[in-house]
């Protein structure tokens, strides 16, 4: 009944329809009270965790104060011991006076790096280098708190607070204060509304220092996921885990002395302090359910109004890209106006492309015909010049003049061969270097190597595709190299001459021209050196490197040059 209302161009627009369906889908989010309830529940949970941390701090106040006081005292003693450490008698007397003035410590001592303990409040020197606690001191070289049941000086279990003593950043020993374990056991339990299952303190190495309910009970309540040392460095954290017996627990960790000692309380999962955040789960499920419902409605709306039509239009575009055919049946019906306009724009663009391609193809065909005609006329003109030079050669009176004209004629014929290959090839942008060399070499051999000469020739050419700009210097280079080989190849009754010519790929974009001939014992003729200069010049035009090996009996010329897939820079020569 709304078809007439939605039939106008405005209401058939994709934006209007998407907004309409999204508005219907997001209507449940108007229940903002649920979100507020969730935020309140999360705030209550955060307050509950803060309460756990506060109770933990209160419950460990005695232990925290004692350990912090001990570290402060050790730091103060270090300042004095640094001055009197060389006098063991005075140092021991100072330690004894300090220990007696305080009822907290049983032993105060200064231990050197080698384990000797000559400055001690008891006055009894000794060596503690074999003690596990001392070995931990040497390993960490920092403030520490450790528990030992068999101390070197005391007769009862103690907690040893260690402060390193350094002179100019060099560690010279440790100040130790021993706190009897009974000091912590006799500490009064603070009155709080809720009591943790277990209360303990531990050091940075994960060793338990003190407990409220006994060491065995505390070890059973430790988290099973990770050792205590993994919680070092965390300032005030509450987390859920299972204890060693697999029971769910809530753990609160607070630093006593950051990086040295920490307090941990263990609480049951159903602690009254944590019930304030029980609504968090429900308040989270409801928004997720509303979000999923909104996605379903939005997807259905988009798929019905846009996606399936866009996919059809995309198939039409891919079909045009593959075989250049326009869609037979246009989009219609209830398709949104924007998509119909897109189809009209696509069809117009496709028709324009077809017209432009037809025009470009026609222009390209005409250009190729003109280029082939140019190459054909250049070839004819070069052959005409070669014929004129041939007439001049026959009229030359000296052998030197004939030889010079003959060399010029060979070079001109080499260029004519390049242009012949270009106009006979459908692809005017690439030339088959192997076929080009085969024709030029055979042409030179037919003129410069008479029958019965006794010279064998081996040729091997790969189809190396060249740019037209590279084809001309390559043919001239080959012409000079073959002429040079024919000039000095050895062939007499005793030795058979041999010429080897090849063109091959050495890498995907590198090619190698190789010309090798025998020389025998022929005396070299004095020349102008023009051929060598031309060979070097043509090699540089190819961006190649010339390598000549003149050994006894053989002469080898090799040129490795770049055969780029795209246009390349040419060296100036």
């Amino acid at each position: 009944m709304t078809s007439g209302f939605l039939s106008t161009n405005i209401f058939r627009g994709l934006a209007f329809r998407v907004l309409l369906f999204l508005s219907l889908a997001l209507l449940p989010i108007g229940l903002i009270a649920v979100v507020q309830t969730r935020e309140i529940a999360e705030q209550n949970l955060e307050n509950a965790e803060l309460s756990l941390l506060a109770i933990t701090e209160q419950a460990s106040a005695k232990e925290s104060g004692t350990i912090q006081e001990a570290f402060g005292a050790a730091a103060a003693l270090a300042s004095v011991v640094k001055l009197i450490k060389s006098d063991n008698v005075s140092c021991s007397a100072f330690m004894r006076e300090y220990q007696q003035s305080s009822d907290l410590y049983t032993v105060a001592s200064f231990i050197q790096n080698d384990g000797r303990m000559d400055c001690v409040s008891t006055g009894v020197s000794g060596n503690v280098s074999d003690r596990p606690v001392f070995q931990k001191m040497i390993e960490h070289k920092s403030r520490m708190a450790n528990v030992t049941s068999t101390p070197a000086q005391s007769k009862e279990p103690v907690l040893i607070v260690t402060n390193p003593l350094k002179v100019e950043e060099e560690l010279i020993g440790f100040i130790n204060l021993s706190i009897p374990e009974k000091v912590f056991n006799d500490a009064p339990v603070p009155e709080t509304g809720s009591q943790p299952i277990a209360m303990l303190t531990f050091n940075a190495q994960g060793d338990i220092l003190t407990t409220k309910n006994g060491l065995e009970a505390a070890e059973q309540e430790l988290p099973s996921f990770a050792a205590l040392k993994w919680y070092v460095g965390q300032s005030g954290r509450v987390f859920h885990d299972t204890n060693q017996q697999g029971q769910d627990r809530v753990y609160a960790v607070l630093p006593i002395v950051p990086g040295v000692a920490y307090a941990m309380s263990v609480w049951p999962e159903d602690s009254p302090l944590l019930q304030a955040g029980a609504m968090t789960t429900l308040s989270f499920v409801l928004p997720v359910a509303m979000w999923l419902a909104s996605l379903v409605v939005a997807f259905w709306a988009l798929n019905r109004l846009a996606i399936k039509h866009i996919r059809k239009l995309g198939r039409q575009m891919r079909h045009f890209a593959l075989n250049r055919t326009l869609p037979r049946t246009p989009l219609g019906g209830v398709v949104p106006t924007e998509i119909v306009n897109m189809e009209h724009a696509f069809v117009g663009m496709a028709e324009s492309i077809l017209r432009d391609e037809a025009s470009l193809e026609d222009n390209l065909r005409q250009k190729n015909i003109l280029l082939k005609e140019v190459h054909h006329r250049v070839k004819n003109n070069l052959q005409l010049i070669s014929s004129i030079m041939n007439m001049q050669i026959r009229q030359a009176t000296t052998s030197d003049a004939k030889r010079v004209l003959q060399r010029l004629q060979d070079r001109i014929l080499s260029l004519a061969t390049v242009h012949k290959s270009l106009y006979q090839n459908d692809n005017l942008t690439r030339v088959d270097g192997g076929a080009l060399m085969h024709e030029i070499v055979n042409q030179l051999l037919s003129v410069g190597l008479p029958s019965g000469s006794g010279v064998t020739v081996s040729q091997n050419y790969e189809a190396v595709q060249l740019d037209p700009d590279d084809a001309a210097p390559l043919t001239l280079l080959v012409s000079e190299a073959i002429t040079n080989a024919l000039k000095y190849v050895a062939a007499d009754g005793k030795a058979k001459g041999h010429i080897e010519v090849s063109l091959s790929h050495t890498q995907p974009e590198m090619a190698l021209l190789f010309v090798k001939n025998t020389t025998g014992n022929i005396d070299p003729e004095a020349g102008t050196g023009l051929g060598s200069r031309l060979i070097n010049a043509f090699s540089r035009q190819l961006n190649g490197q010339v390598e000549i090996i003149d050994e006894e009996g053989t002469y080898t010329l090799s040129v490795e040059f770049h055969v780029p897939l795209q246009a390349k820079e040419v060296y100036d020569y």
Side-chain angles (χ1 to χ4, degrees), residues 73 76-82 84 87-101 108 119-121 175:
L77 291 176
S79 301
V80 178
V81 172
K82 186 185 299 184
I84 62 174
D87 187 353
N88 294 330
V89 176
S90 300
C91 185
S92 297
F94 172 74
M95 288 292 190
R96 182 167 53 256
E97 181 179 355
Y98 181 80
Q99 184 269 328
Q100 291 175 354
S101 65
C119 176
V120 60
S121 61
I175 301 296

Side-chain angles (χ1 to χ4, degrees), residues 449-511:
L449 192 64
S451 59
S453 62
V455 177
T456 59
V457 180
S458 61
Q459 303 181 56
N460 182 26
Y461 307 113
E462 294 183 5
V464 178
Q465 298 298 318
L466 302 172
D467 291 334
D469 291 341
D470 291 337
L474 178 63
T475 56
L476 294 173
L477 175 60
V478 171
S479 175
E480 297 296 331
I482 296 301
T483 301
N484 185 68
L486 292 173
K487 182 178 180 181
Y488 295 105
V489 65
D492 52 31
K494 298 180 181 179
K496 295 295 184 180
H498 180 72
I499 297 176
E500 180 182 353
V501 186
S502 67
L503 178 67
S504 60
H505 277 290
T506 57
Q507 295 180 23
E509 292 192 2
M510 295 297 293

Side-chain angles (χ1 to χ4, degrees), residues 20-49:
L20 177 62
F21 281 99
L22 283 179
S23 298
L24 295 175
L26 298 177
L27 183 61
I29 298 181
L31 303 175
I32 194 65
V34 176
V35 178
Q36 293 178 343
T37 303
R38 178 171 175 267
E39 292 178 353
I40 293 174
E42 290 180 350
Q43 184 63 43
N44 290 338
L45 181 59
E46 183 179 350
N47 293 338
E49 293 179 349

Side-chain angles (χ1 to χ4, degrees), residues 138-384:
I138 293 297
E139 179 183 357
H140 296 282
K141 298 181 179 60
S142 60
R143 294 194 304 174
M144 296 180 61
N146 295 284
V147 173
T148 177
S149 57
T150 57
Q153 298 287 339
S154 304
K155 303 302 181 183
E156 58 181 335
V158 294
L159 185 148
I160 301 176
V161 172
T162 301
N163 191 81
L165 179 58
K166 297 182 180 180
V167 176
E168 296 181 354
E169 301 300 326
E170 180 181 358
L171 181 67
I172 64 173
F174 304 91
I175 301 296
N176 282 359
L177 292 177
S178 299
I179 306 173
E181 190 177 88
K182 64 182 181 180
V183 171
F184 302 102
N185 295 334
D186 297 340
V189 178
E191 294 294 334
T192 58
S194 299
Q195 295 294 330
I197 299 176
M199 185 71 202
L200 57 97
T201 60
F202 60 94
N203 60 14
Q205 290 73 44
D207 302 324
I208 296 177
L209 301 177
T210 64
T211 63
K212 292 289 187 183
N213 304 328
L215 181 61
E216 183 177 354
E219 289 179 344
Q220 292 179 354
E221 294 296 336
L222 291 180
S224 61
F225 177 74
L228 289 176
K229 64 181 180 179
W230 293 106
Y231 304 104
V232 172
Q234 301 179 9
S235 178
R237 178 188 177 190
V238 177
F239 61 94
H240 295 254
D241 200 351
T242 57
N243 62 9
Q244 299 296 322
Q245 298 177 346
Q247 299 172 330
D248 293 332
R249 293 288 186 263
V250 179
Y251 296 87
V253 180
L254 273 177
I256 296 175
V257 179
V260 179
Y262 297 82
M264 172 183 283
S265 61
V266 185
W267 303 82
E269 187 77 15
D270 57 352
S271 173
L273 293 173
L274 300 172
Q275 296 306 311
M279 291 295 295
T280 302
T281 302
L282 179 60
S283 61
F284 177 75
V285 171
L286 186 58
V288 170
M290 291 189 296
W291 175 70
L292 291 176
S294 301
L295 286 182
V296 171
V297 176
F299 177 77
W300 178 81
L302 288 174
N303 184 70
R304 179 178 177 82
L305 299 176
I307 295 177
K308 67 177 184 179
H309 305 303
I310 293 175
R311 288 176 177 171
K312 183 176 180 180
L313 183 59
R315 287 193 297 268
Q316 293 176 353
M317 291 180 177
R318 288 191 294 270
H319 190 67
F320 173 77
L322 291 175
N323 52 27
R324 286 297 188 269
T325 57
L326 295 175
R328 297 180 179 177
T329 57
L331 299 175
V334 294
V335 181
T337 304
E338 290 83 356
I339 298 180
V340 173
N341 292 336
M342 289 172 57
E343 184 191 30
H344 292 163
F346 159 66
V347 172
M349 178 189 66
E351 292 175 348
S352 177
I353 290 175
L354 291 176
R355 289 193 299 270
D356 292 343
E357 287 182 346
S359 177
L360 289 174
E361 185 176 356
D362 184 62
N363 292 337
L364 180 61
R365 187 181 299 108
Q366 293 180 7
K367 185 196 73 171
N368 289 339
I369 293 174
L370 291 176
L371 285 176
K372 287 187 177 183
E373 181 65 21
V374 169
H375 288 299
H376 187 228
R377 293 195 179 193
V378 170
K379 188 268 297 183
N380 290 341
N381 291 335
L382 291 174
Q383 286 185 338
L384 177 61

